[in-house]
């Protein structure tokens, strides 16, 4: 029975990949319906990453649209060597970061938003029922981006440093800062 | 590993990998990829189209400079009570309005990628009005002038982006 279940799971994965490969292949040839199916399949994860990186619903929606528009143009670059979802995730992170640079550049320079608002936030009750996503969105931009990429998406600090155009040490420092702030937000005392 | 790290790791493993957007994003994406297809199929024509657009832009800029050159002295005379600083703001606003109008005219037949771009344009207009109101009291405030300039740049970028997006490279 156990063996049968393992075979069924394995078969699902194989058929799932096969149908996704077919969709990718069709979309590469200009089939919009196939591309729509890929969109339906992946929009949840793409939007989640965009939202956690930008911290804003509107910006995350715009960035998600930009990701799929560029994906249509560059789908031919996907060589099938890695999982499509892994490749798409990396594309999403890079496009969103680039999009944020373009959108937020002047606003940040004018109003220096990086540190605004952190201290106004009340600490949560020290409980196990914590909405981590809501707390992550509260983090200042650079700390949030590093935290999302490292802790949630599994990127190495070396990769993050290159993506965000910062030193590896800065990435580690921002991650530490993010953890400290999350600790404050959760109302956890220093041990 | 500290207690907090353990707790954080638990929360991270419990966070949902997916999140659905509140509005339908497909329509904008479809418009975007259709516009890309259009661009690709008009490769031969595109060089002349771009050239003519560039010429139109240059011609519009030259006209604008000429108009401002002649209009500026009258504007200054008519508003003698205002300081030189605020006359500059007026000139900036007039130039911006003309640039926006000429851009909107050139994109008249192009479908916009988003539905709410006019709303966004109006919000930027409102922001510019607030800054201009502040500049009336303090016309030489360089931070406010810079801010107004940035808002105007955002308006131009918004109009261009929703009508003729320049897709980034992956």
């Amino acid at each position: 029975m156990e063996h049968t279940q393992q075979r069924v799971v394995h078969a699902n994965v194989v058929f799932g990949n096969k149908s996704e490969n077919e969709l990718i292949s069709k979309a590469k040839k200009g089939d919009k319906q196939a591309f729509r199916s890929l969109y339906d399949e992946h929009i949840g994860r793409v939007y989640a990453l965009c939202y956690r990186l930008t911290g804003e619903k509107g910006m995350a929606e715009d960035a998600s649209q930009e990701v799929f528009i560029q994906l249509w143009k560059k789908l031919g670059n996907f060589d099938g060597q890695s999982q499509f979802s892994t490749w798409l995730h990396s594309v999403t992170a890079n496009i969103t970061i680039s999009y944020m640079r373009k959108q937020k550049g002047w606003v940040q320079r004018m109003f220096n938003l990086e540190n605004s608002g952190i201290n106004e936030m009340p600490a949560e009750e020290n409980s196990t029922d914590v909405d981590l996503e809501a707390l992550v969105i509260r983090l200042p931009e650079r700390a949030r981006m590093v935290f999302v990429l490292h802790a949630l998406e599994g990127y190495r600090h070396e990769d993050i440093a290159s993506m965000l155009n910062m030193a590896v040490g800065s990435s580690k420092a921002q991650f530490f800062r993010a953890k400290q702030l999350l600790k404050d937000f959760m109302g956890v005392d220093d041990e | 590993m500290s207690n907090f790290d353990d707790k954080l790791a638990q929360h991270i493993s419990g966070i949902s990998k997916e999140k659905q957007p509140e509005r339908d994003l497909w329509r904008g994406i479809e418009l975007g990829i259709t516009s890309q297809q259009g661009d690709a199929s008009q490769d031969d024509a595109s060089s002349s189209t771009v050239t003519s657009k560039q010429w139109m832009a240059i011609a519009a800029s030259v006209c604008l400079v000429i108009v401002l050159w002649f209009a500026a002295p009258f504007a200054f005379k008519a508003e003698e009570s205002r300081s030189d600083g605020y006359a500059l703001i007026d000139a900036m606003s007039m130039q911006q309005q003309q640039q926006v109008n000429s851009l909107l005219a050139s994109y008249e037949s192009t479908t916009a990628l988003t539905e709410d771009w006019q709303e966004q344009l109006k919000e930027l207009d409102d922001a510019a009005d607030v800054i201009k109101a502040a500049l009336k009291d303090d016309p030489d405030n360089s931070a406010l002038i810079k801010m107004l300039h940035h808002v105007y740049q955002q308006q131009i970028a918004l109009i261009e982006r929703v009508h003729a997006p320049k897709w980034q490279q992956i």
Side-chain angles (χ1 to χ4, degrees):
Chain A
M1 181 65 188
E2 211 170 280
H3 285 285
T4 315
Q5 272 182 338
Q6 276 176 352
R7 271 205 299 278
V8 170
V9 171
H10 189 244
N12 280 343
V13 171
V14 170
F15 287 127
N17 282 345
K18 193 182 169 196
S19 81
E20 183 165 82
N21 288 340
E22 277 171 14
L23 289 175
I24 293 165
S25 167
K26 283 180 180 173
K28 276 182 181 175
K29 288 174 191 156
D31 183 337
K32 264 195 224 168
Q33 202 51 48
F35 191 67
R36 169 75 203 243
S37 301
L38 286 173
Y39 163 84
D40 288 336
E41 183 66 28
H42 293 280
I43 182 63
R45 286 201 69 182
V46 166
Y47 178 72
L49 178 54
C50 290
Y51 177 62
R52 286 161 193 163
L53 284 173
T54 60
E56 267 178 42
K57 280 181 187 168
M59 213 171 172
E61 287 171 351
D62 290 350
S64 303
Q65 283 185 319
E66 183 130 352
V67 167
F68 279 97
I69 289 167
Q70 290 198 37
L71 184 66
W72 173 258
K73 196 179 174 187
K74 297 290 179 184
L75 201 53
N77 292 359
F78 176 64
D79 55 10
Q81 295 290 314
S82 57
Q83 285 262 331
F84 178 70
S85 58
T86 311
W87 180 77
L88 177 58
H89 235 52
S90 152
V91 167
T92 301
N94 283 310
I95 291 176
T96 306
I97 290 163
S98 162
Y99 183 80
M100 288 172 73
R101 269 196 203 118
K102 281 206 304 191
Q103 295 298 308
K104 283 202 164 173
W106 78 267
V107 180
Q108 282 206 329
R109 278 198 299 277
M110 292 306 292
F111 300 108
N112 191 19
L113 294 177
E114 177 64 12
N115 292 313
S116 63
I118 301 168
N119 296 328
E120 297 158 20
M121 296 153 185
E124 300 259 324
E125 286 293 311
N126 188 356
S127 75
T128 52
D129 190 21
V130 168
D131 182 355
L132 182 64
E133 182 172 71
L135 299 183
V136 168
I137 298 304
R138 284 175 165 194
L139 292 170
E141 187 175 283
R142 280 151 71 87
R144 185 181 64 242
M145 290 168 89
V146 170
F147 184 83
V148 168
L149 292 171
H150 183 68
L152 303 186
E153 300 298 327
Y155 284 89
R156 295 177 310 138
H157 282 294
E158 286 76 7
D159 299 326
I160 296 168
S162 151
M163 289 162 92
L164 298 181
N165 203 15
M166 59 166 64
V168 175
S170 302
S171 176
K172 289 178 180 172
Q174 290 290 350
F175 183 65
F176 180 76
R177 185 184 177 207
K179 281 208 311 183
Q180 286 302 115
L181 284 167
L182 287 173
K183 198 186 260 190
D184 290 346
F185 294 165
M186 289 181 195
V188 175
D189 293 328
D190 280 326
E191 294 131 30
Chain B
M1 197 183 249
S2 69
N3 280 344
F4 174 70
D5 284 337
D6 285 340
K7 202 182 275 185
L8 189 59
Q10 272 178 13
H11 289 309
I12 288 170
S13 65
I15 203 167
S16 169
K17 292 276 178 201
E18 297 201 4
K19 187 175 180 74
Q20 293 301 323
E22 283 172 8
R23 66 182 171 95
D24 176 27
L25 306 180
W26 176 251
R27 194 178 161 271
I29 294 167
E30 197 174 23
L31 274 170
I33 60 181
T34 306
S35 123
Q36 279 184 14
Q37 276 180 326
D39 288 349
S41 66
Q42 289 173 3
D43 262 356
D44 291 339
S46 67
S47 57
S48 62
T49 310
V50 170
T51 310
S52 60
K53 272 186 185 167
Q54 284 169 341
W55 276 113
M56 274 174 66
I58 291 166
S61 307
V62 170
C63 289
L64 194 62
V65 170
I66 293 169
V67 167
L68 281 174
W69 183 265
F70 286 105
F74 296 112
F76 287 131
K77 274 181 193 168
E79 297 288 328
E80 275 175 358
S81 60
R82 291 188 180 185
S83 73
D84 286 345
Y86 201 79
L88 176 74
I89 308 304
D90 271 345
M92 254 175 85
S93 304
M94 190 164 45
Q95 184 182 358
Q96 171 71 6
Q97 198 51 53
Q98 284 171 346
Q99 204 173 345
V100 166
N101 289 344
S102 77
L103 262 181
L104 290 176
S106 71
Y107 289 130
E108 207 169 23
S109 57
T110 313
T111 315
L113 280 183
T114 56
E115 284 170 349
D116 64 341
W117 68 275
Q118 280 167 318
E119 206 175 296
Q120 291 176 44
L121 193 64
K122 172 79 174 51
E123 281 172 13
L124 287 168
D125 249 345
D126 293 344
D129 286 343
V130 171
I131 299 168
K132 273 159 59 183
L135 275 165
K136 270 187 182 157
D137 296 330
D138 187 8
D140 298 323
N141 187 323
S142 62
L144 286 173
I145 294 170
K146 261 188 190 172
M147 215 181 276
L148 183 64
H149 184 61
H150 279 305
V151 170
Y152 284 159
Q153 279 181 331
Q154 289 288 304
Q155 283 188 320
I156 301 297
L158 172 70
I159 296 169
E160 287 177 342
R161 207 171 59 238
V162 296
H163 290 97
K166 292 172 185 165
W167 313 117
Q168 299 164 330
Q169 299 293 311
I170 294 177

